[in-house]
Amino acid sequence: MQRVAACKGCNPSARGFSRPTHRRPSRRSGAGLVAAGGLSSLASVVESQQFDRPMLEELFEVAREMERITEDGSECKILAGKVMGTLFYEPSTRTRLSFETAMCRLGGKVVSTENAREFSSVAKGETLEDTIRTLEQYVDVVVLRHFQAGSARIAADAASVPLISAGDGPGQHPTQALLDIYTIQKEIGRVDDTKVALVGDLANGRTARSLAYILSKFRNVKLYFVAPDVARINEDIKEHLTECGCEWEEVDNLQSVASEVDVLYQTRIQKERYGDRPEDYEKAQGKFIVDEDLMRLMKQDAVVMHPLPRVGEITPQVDADPRAAYFRQAKNGLYIRMALLATLLKGK
């Protein structure tokens, strides 16, 4: 890929940004979301399975360019005149703000609804499809976070502009998985030939689900699922990994694998998913903690990651350890989301 150079940081014709000029497409089916023609043909982002290895490599090349532009302080206007609408039915800090910052850094503008359950017409009974069809009259891309699994695909099927899932309940969080893989590559220099522990609320954790799907595309990866009995990974993920030939193991003791793994991916127990099962939340909460004692067991070149927010499952003392990558991980979200927005909108 040639380096982005126009507007002192951006070249609209650089590979990874170019896209055939066309009018807004007609309504499309979910099958059209898969970019058979590579990253440049990506229509919307709703699940991790859309991305194969070549697409990931191309996206990461663009993300590295976005990182260079951001660090240089270069003025970038490749999405000048474009508007992104963020529609969030659930709370968010990192995802929403990184998407909005990404659009601003690319020269675009943002309209936002932070609490769409209360501050949108859904409070009056409007369907998700009608909300999307209305919003697309004003914006060029929609970023959606919803509380129901599968909602991202429903919304993308209804939309005639690109739609990016920012998480759909306990379903998936594809852009988080993309930034997670990007972080692993940056932190330890590879994704192939790694051992990864996914820890915490794996039953409800959309980030863990999405990451497992993407990790299955790499060679010689072994996954350890470390979760309380009430929060174990769902069978569909295990079946997918088995079909892909990706080795996995369920583990009850985090200490037993801490010295083996290259990546320890911690997640919080999601209290909001246990509304009618408070007893299960109490069983799961606080069972697996990353603290200084656990860090002493880990390899010196391993990393600890977390999609955040954390609520006690990583102690503050760990923050000073150079292997604590979670805040660098959050920063990488900006570069990945810049890359996605540029890919989806440039030349459109």
Side-chain angles (χ1 to χ4, degrees):
M1 174 182 172
Q2 70 182 70
R3 291 182 82 69
V4 179
C7 66
K8 298 184 178 180
C10 304
N11 179 2
S13 64
R15 184 169 67 84
F17 298 99
S18 60
R19 184 184 175 104
T21 302
H22 56 274
R23 296 178 182 271
R24 284 187 175 182
S26 59
R27 309 274 171 207
R28 54 182 178 251
S29 66
L33 299 174
V34 179
L39 190 65
S40 63
S41 64
L42 195 66
S44 285
V45 178
V46 301
E47 60 188 14
S48 296
Q49 297 93 305
Q50 292 175 249
F51 294 85
D52 57 22
R53 285 287 294 268
M55 290 173 68
L56 291 172
E57 291 167 5
E58 189 177 353
L59 179 67
F60 293 168
E61 194 172 352
V62 180
R64 286 189 289 270
E65 203 64 21
M66 297 295 99
E67 189 168 350
R68 182 189 68 79
I69 291 168
T70 302
E71 291 179 350
D72 287 351
S74 304
E75 183 181 13
C76 184
K77 296 294 184 182
I78 62 172
L79 295 187
K82 303 295 185 183
V83 179
M84 178 181 74
T86 54
L87 186 64
F88 278 63
Y89 291 79
E90 287 188 327
S92 172
T93 300
R94 281 149 296 277
T95 303
R96 185 174 67 87
L97 294 182
S98 65
F99 263 115
E100 293 181 0
T101 302
M103 191 65 175
C104 292
R105 287 194 177 275
L106 293 171
K109 297 185 183 299
V110 177
V111 294
S112 179
T113 298
E114 183 177 359
N115 185 352
R117 286 206 212 193
E118 183 178 354
F119 299 115
S120 77
S121 290
V122 69
K124 303 174 184 177
E126 185 173 62
T127 65
L128 176 60
E129 292 92 333
D130 281 1
T131 298
I132 294 298
R133 289 167 181 160
T134 299
L135 183 58
E136 70 181 16
Q137 307 305 316
Y138 316 131
V139 304
D140 301 285
V141 59
V142 175
V143 178
L144 171 71
R145 169 167 290 186
H146 203 271
F147 51 88
Q148 291 181 336
S151 58
R153 181 168 291 277
I154 291 170
D157 286 345
S160 62
V161 299
L163 183 136
I164 305 175
S165 172
D168 59 345
Q172 283 208 42
H173 195 343
T175 67
Q176 179 69 48
L178 295 173
L179 75 90
D180 290 341
I181 292 291
Y182 186 61
T183 299
I184 293 171
Q185 179 67 52
K186 287 179 63 177
E187 293 287 332
I188 66 175
R190 69 186 191 282
V191 182
D192 293 319
D193 305 311
T194 56
K195 294 181 178 180
V196 180
L198 301 181
V199 187
D201 194 347
L202 305 186
N204 299 296
R206 57 194 172 206
T207 63
R209 288 176 57 82
S210 291
L211 182 56
Y213 275 121
I214 286 195
L215 284 169
S216 70
K217 301 177 185 295
F218 290 83
R219 296 187 302 274
N220 194 31
V221 172
K222 180 172 181 178
L223 297 180
Y224 295 98
F225 298 125
V226 189
D229 288 340
V230 296
R232 291 185 180 275
I233 195 75
N234 293 330
E235 290 298 321
D236 63 326
I237 297 293
K238 293 186 284 189
E239 291 171 3
H240 171 80
L241 295 173
T242 299
E243 290 173 1
C244 293
C246 182
E247 189 177 359
W248 58 270
E249 182 179 345
E250 292 193 287
V251 179
D252 294 323
N253 189 319
L254 180 56
Q255 285 75 12
S256 68
V257 298
S259 63
E260 298 290 325
V261 300
D262 303 289
V263 178
L264 193 159
Y265 190 92
Q266 178 70 290
T267 65
R268 71 182 174 93
I269 304 299
Q270 300 185 42
K271 187 175 183 179
E272 65 272 23
R273 310 291 182 202
Y274 292 86
D276 58 347
R277 296 179 293 122
E279 67 283 355
D280 285 347
Y281 173 76
E282 293 302 325
K283 291 176 184 177
Q285 176 66 8
K287 184 166 184 181
F288 299 111
I289 305 295
V290 178
D291 56 17
E292 291 176 298
D293 290 338
L294 187 77
M295 296 299 289
R296 292 188 188 99
L297 299 176
M298 295 184 63
K299 297 188 292 187
Q300 288 304 305
D301 58 351
V303 293
V304 176
M305 296 171 59
H306 194 305
L308 302 177
R310 60 175 167 180
V311 287
E313 61 276 356
I314 299 178
T315 64
Q317 292 75 19
V318 174
D319 297 354
D321 193 304
R323 295 170 293 178
Y326 29 89
F327 292 114
R328 299 191 295 273
Q329 176 187 355
K331 189 174 184 179
N332 288 332
L334 173 63
Y335 311 134
I336 286 293
R337 287 159 180 148
M338 288 176 70
L340 285 171
L341 289 169
T343 298
L344 286 167
L345 290 180
K346 193 67 212 117
K348 182 174 179 294

